[in-house]
């Protein structure tokens, strides 16, 4: 029997129970307190009733009633932050890389990054047996980040059920080994980058470069060679980003070296090297480490795809950011690369909910494989949780689901509550049987050369997500922040 996956319902993080978020609970509690104060302070029965109903009703409306796809409370902070950044001019970015100089050691001076990206990034060159790798220190997040390119099984969809199960089990073992081995890697981010290419580009280039004076037999031979060459119409890249939290123990170990920078390079390099060595156990092939030029090229390409990923000429920590970026429009973000004069438009959606029904191994195929002619990035950020902690959380979730279920005698049970309770119980039993504990979130970024085409591609991706049983929510008025979650930064997941 083929394996199926069930995802539990995303649960809010609150102080009292898990039905509401912390801010929602505070607003509801404030409404109750304000109603009691008005009951005691206002004269007359009518004013007391009106004041109490007005205060309580306003808080309930702001917290529970849908308003333009969300609630008023959700929109309040988003719009306030957008207006503040718009007033400060931070949503319009222009890189100062051409004016930045270099330090005494030859490294370029860092430049200010666009809004939404973690501030005050520090670049470190890690040392591994597989070559140098760029490590980003994010002081605001307390995280070290490194990126490698990997390649998975290309014929995964054509394998039988037993082979697919073996590959999934191998990857599950990799996550469990990373989480339980006592290593420092606690966050893993997958970035799948899909770019449509012109299958006739080689033929067009050959026709443009053809020498009319060349012999006929040579031209005919080359035409036959072009017809025999198989050309992919899509370029798919898979990147694995590793997140290592900053700890005093790590810093103390790095202090044993000549400089703190050298210490971080050696200590983090060993952690990353050990992880790369374990990739083969998960049937993943290591392709390359992303050093500073390669990582800078990937970041620059994410903003503007007319800069090719493999083009590392002149790419460093200063030139990795776009030449210009405009995030003032609520529904999209525009960015221009150093090579082009026309901007590229991007829009990012949050995967609000993963499938609520059991799905097979290939449930993401409609989004990752069947979307064509769309520049797409799908990012999944995972936090690896030790088994004991994950099991405790799962048991709490089952208790919470059972407590919220309406079991009034004589009332038909809500099948949705039964489904959620079953999914939570299934997760609890999987963890008890040795499954790895993972907390995850997902993001999808669509890029297009003009706004109208961007709207079409958004609709295409939304339809593909529905086929994958994913619920998307476009991050309007916060595109600048949501887009950064599909950069190799291991962001987008709440840190405990």
């Amino acid at each position: 029997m083929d394996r199926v996956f069930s995802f539990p319902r995303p649960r809010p993080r609150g102080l009292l129970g898990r039905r509401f978020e912390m801010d929602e609970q505070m607003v509801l509690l404030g409404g109750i307190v304000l109603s009691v104060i008005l009951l005691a302070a206002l004269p007359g029965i009518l004013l007391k009733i009106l004041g109490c109903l007005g205060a309580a009703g306003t808080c309930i409306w702001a917290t529970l009633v849908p308003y333009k796809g969300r609630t008023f409370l959700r929109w309040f902070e988003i719009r306030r932050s957008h207006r503040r950044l718009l007033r400060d001019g931070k949503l319009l970015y222009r890189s100062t890389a051409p004016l930045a100089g270099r330090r005494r050691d030859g490294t370029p001076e860092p430049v200010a990054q666009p809004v939404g990206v973690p501030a005050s990034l520090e670049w470190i060159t890690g040392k591994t047996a597989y070559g140098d790798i760029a490590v980003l220190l994010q002081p605001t997040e307390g995280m070290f980040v490194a990126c490698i390119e990997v390649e998975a099984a290309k014929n995964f969809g054509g394998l039988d059920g037993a082979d697919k199960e073996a590959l999934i089990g191998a990857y599950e073992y990799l996550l469990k080994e990373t989480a339980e081995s006592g290593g420092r890697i606690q966050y893993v981010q997958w970035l799948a980058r899909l770019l449509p290419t012109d299958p006739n580009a080689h033929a067009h280039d050959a026709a443009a470069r053809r020498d009319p004076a060349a012999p006929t037999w040579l031209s005919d031979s080359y035409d036959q060679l072009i017809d025999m060459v198989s050309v992919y119409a899509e370029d798919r890249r898979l990147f694995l980003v590793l997140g290592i939290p900053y700890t005093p123990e790590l810093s103390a170990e790095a202090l044993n070296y000549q400089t703190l920078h050298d210490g971080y390079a050696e200590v983090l390099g060993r952690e990353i090297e050990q992880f790369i060595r374990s990739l083969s156990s998960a049937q993943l092939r290591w392709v390359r480490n992303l050093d500073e030029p390669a990582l800078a090229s990937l970041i620059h390409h994410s903003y503007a795809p007319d800069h090719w990923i493999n083009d590392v000429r002149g790419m460093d920590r200063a030139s990795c950011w776009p030449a210009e970026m405009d995030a003032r429009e609520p529904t999209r973000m525009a960015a221009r690369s150093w090579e082009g004069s026309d901007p590229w438009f991007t829009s990012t959606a949050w995967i609000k909910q993963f499938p609520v029904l059991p799905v097979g191994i290939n449930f993401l195929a409609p989004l990752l494989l069947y979307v064509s002619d769309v520049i797409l990035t799908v990012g999944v950020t995972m936090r690896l949780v030790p088994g004991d902690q994950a099991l405790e959380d799962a048991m709490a979730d089952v208790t919470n689901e059972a407590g919220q279920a309406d079991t009034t005698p004589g009332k038909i049970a809500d099948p949705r509550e039964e489904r959620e309770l079953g999914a939570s119980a299934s997760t609890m039993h999987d963890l008890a049987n040795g499954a790895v504990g993972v907390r995850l979130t997902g993001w999808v970024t669509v890029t297009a050369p003009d706004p109208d085409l961007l709207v079409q591609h958004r609709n295409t991706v939304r339809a593909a997500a529905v086929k994958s049983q994913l619920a998307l929510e476009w991050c309007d008025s916060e595109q600048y922040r949501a887009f950064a979650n599909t950069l190799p930064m291991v962001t987008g997941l709440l840190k405990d």
Side-chain angles (χ1 to χ4, degrees):
M1 181 178 178
D2 294 338
R3 170 181 280 199
V4 295
F5 297 89
S6 57
F7 295 86
R9 179 174 54 185
R11 292 169 180 83
R13 300 160 55 95
L15 181 63
L16 303 174
R18 297 193 178 186
R19 186 178 292 272
F20 299 109
E21 296 278 3
M22 178 70 74
D23 54 352
E24 294 174 336
Q25 293 181 1
M26 295 300 294
V27 171
L28 292 175
L29 182 60
I32 295 174
V33 172
L34 181 59
S35 299
V36 173
I37 294 176
L38 291 177
L39 282 175
L42 292 177
I45 298 298
L46 182 60
L47 288 179
K48 290 179 181 291
I49 295 176
L50 292 178
C52 181
L53 293 179
T58 301
C59 293
I60 292 174
W61 171 81
T63 306
L64 302 178
V65 178
Y67 174 68
K68 295 184 178 180
R70 303 178 185 178
T71 61
F72 179 82
L73 184 61
R74 287 284 165 268
W75 280 116
F76 176 77
E77 179 59 30
I78 292 172
R79 290 178 171 175
R80 189 181 72 87
S81 299
H82 186 267
R83 286 195 299 265
R84 185 183 69 252
L85 294 173
L86 191 62
R87 183 175 60 253
D88 296 341
K90 294 182 179 180
L91 295 181
L92 188 59
Y93 170 82
R94 178 167 295 177
S95 177
T96 58
L99 305 177
R102 290 186 174 268
R103 297 170 175 171
R104 291 182 178 179
D105 59 358
T107 58
E109 286 284 354
V111 300
Q113 54 264 26
V115 63
V117 179
S120 305
L121 294 178
E122 291 289 338
W123 293 66
I124 302 171
T125 301
K127 307 294 183 181
T128 72
Y130 300 89
D132 293 346
I133 186 170
V135 179
L136 292 180
L137 168 58
Q138 305 174 10
T140 57
E141 303 289 330
M143 181 86 66
F144 294 94
V145 171
C147 181
I148 60 177
E149 185 173 358
V150 297
E151 186 178 89
K154 294 184 177 180
N155 61 336
F156 181 82
L159 300 177
D160 57 19
D163 291 337
K164 290 181 180 179
E165 177 69 22
L167 288 177
I168 295 297
Y171 177 66
E172 184 179 4
Y173 176 77
L174 172 65
L175 294 181
K176 186 175 181 63
E177 182 185 25
T178 305
E180 303 287 354
S181 63
R184 292 190 170 97
I185 298 176
Q186 296 185 12
Y187 292 86
V188 175
Q189 179 187 23
W190 286 97
L191 288 178
R193 182 74 170 165
L194 170 62
L195 295 114
T197 58
D198 183 7
N200 299 316
H202 188 190
H204 295 160
D205 184 68
R209 295 173 178 268
R210 177 165 298 179
D211 185 3
T216 305
W217 65 268
L218 182 60
S219 298
D220 295 341
S221 175
Y222 197 76
D223 290 338
Q224 295 176 9
L225 179 62
I226 292 177
D227 293 338
M228 295 174 63
V229 172
S230 175
V231 179
Y232 289 100
E234 293 173 336
D235 181 35
R236 299 178 182 271
R237 299 292 187 93
L238 187 60
F239 298 95
L240 184 58
V241 192
L242 309 176
I244 302 175
Y246 171 84
T247 59
E249 293 79 9
L250 190 151
S251 182
E253 186 175 349
L255 286 173
N256 295 328
Y257 293 83
Q258 185 175 2
T259 65
L260 188 60
H261 187 282
D262 294 338
Y264 283 142
E266 294 293 337
V267 174
L268 298 174
R270 285 200 304 267
E271 292 288 337
I272 297 169
E273 179 181 335
Q274 182 179 358
F275 184 85
I276 294 175
R277 294 185 187 278
S278 63
L279 285 176
S280 58
S281 63
Q283 304 297 316
L284 295 170
R285 187 177 73 87
W286 173 86
V287 176
R288 59 168 177 160
N289 287 350
L290 268 64
D291 55 7
E292 182 174 331
L295 181 60
S297 180
L298 173 61
I299 294 174
H300 198 73
H301 166 81
S302 300
Y303 282 96
D306 54 355
H307 172 82
W308 192 239
I309 296 178
N310 295 337
D311 186 5
V312 298
R313 295 171 298 176
M315 300 307 300
D316 52 36
R317 64 189 68 180
S319 59
C320 64
W321 310 114
E324 294 178 354
M325 191 195 78
D326 185 357
R328 294 174 295 181
E329 180 66 31
T331 60
R332 63 177 183 266
M333 189 183 74
R336 181 179 66 83
S337 70
W338 297 106
E339 294 90 343
S341 58
D342 297 327
W344 287 81
F345 300 89
T346 62
S347 188
T348 303
W350 167 46
I351 300 180
K352 187 176 181 179
Q353 183 168 308
F354 283 85
V356 296
L357 298 176
V359 292
I361 292 176
N362 296 324
F363 75 96
L364 284 178
L367 181 62
L368 295 178
L369 299 180
Y370 303 150
V371 174
S372 59
D373 299 328
V374 176
I375 302 176
L376 182 68
T377 301
V378 179
V380 177
T381 302
M382 300 182 293
R383 184 193 174 200
L384 308 182
V385 183
D388 293 340
Q389 181 183 351
L391 183 57
E392 290 179 3
D393 294 342
M395 294 174 63
D397 291 339
V398 174
T399 304
N400 191 269
E401 292 291 348
Q404 292 181 7
D406 188 356
T407 57
T408 303
K411 183 178 180 180
I412 298 177
D414 190 340
R416 293 171 298 184
E417 294 180 349
E418 295 179 351
R419 181 189 64 202
E420 299 297 346
L421 181 60
S424 300
S426 175
T427 301
M428 179 181 64
H429 290 300
D430 289 342
L431 291 170
N433 293 330
V436 64
V438 174
R439 295 173 183 167
L440 58 85
T441 185
W443 306 81
V444 180
T445 292
V446 183
T447 307
D450 64 78
D452 294 335
L453 190 60
L454 179 65
V455 174
Q456 298 179 17
H457 289 177
R458 281 178 48 151
N459 295 334
T460 301
V461 169
R462 180 186 290 275
V466 171
K467 295 179 182 178
S468 297
Q469 300 191 41
L470 302 176
L472 296 185
E473 181 176 299
W474 296 100
C475 302
D476 294 342
S477 297
E478 51 181 351
Q479 289 292 335
Y480 58 92
R481 186 168 62 89
F483 172 78
N485 296 326
T486 53
L487 293 176
M489 301 284 180
V490 194
T491 56
L493 187 64
L494 286 174
K495 305 296 192 298
D496 291 338

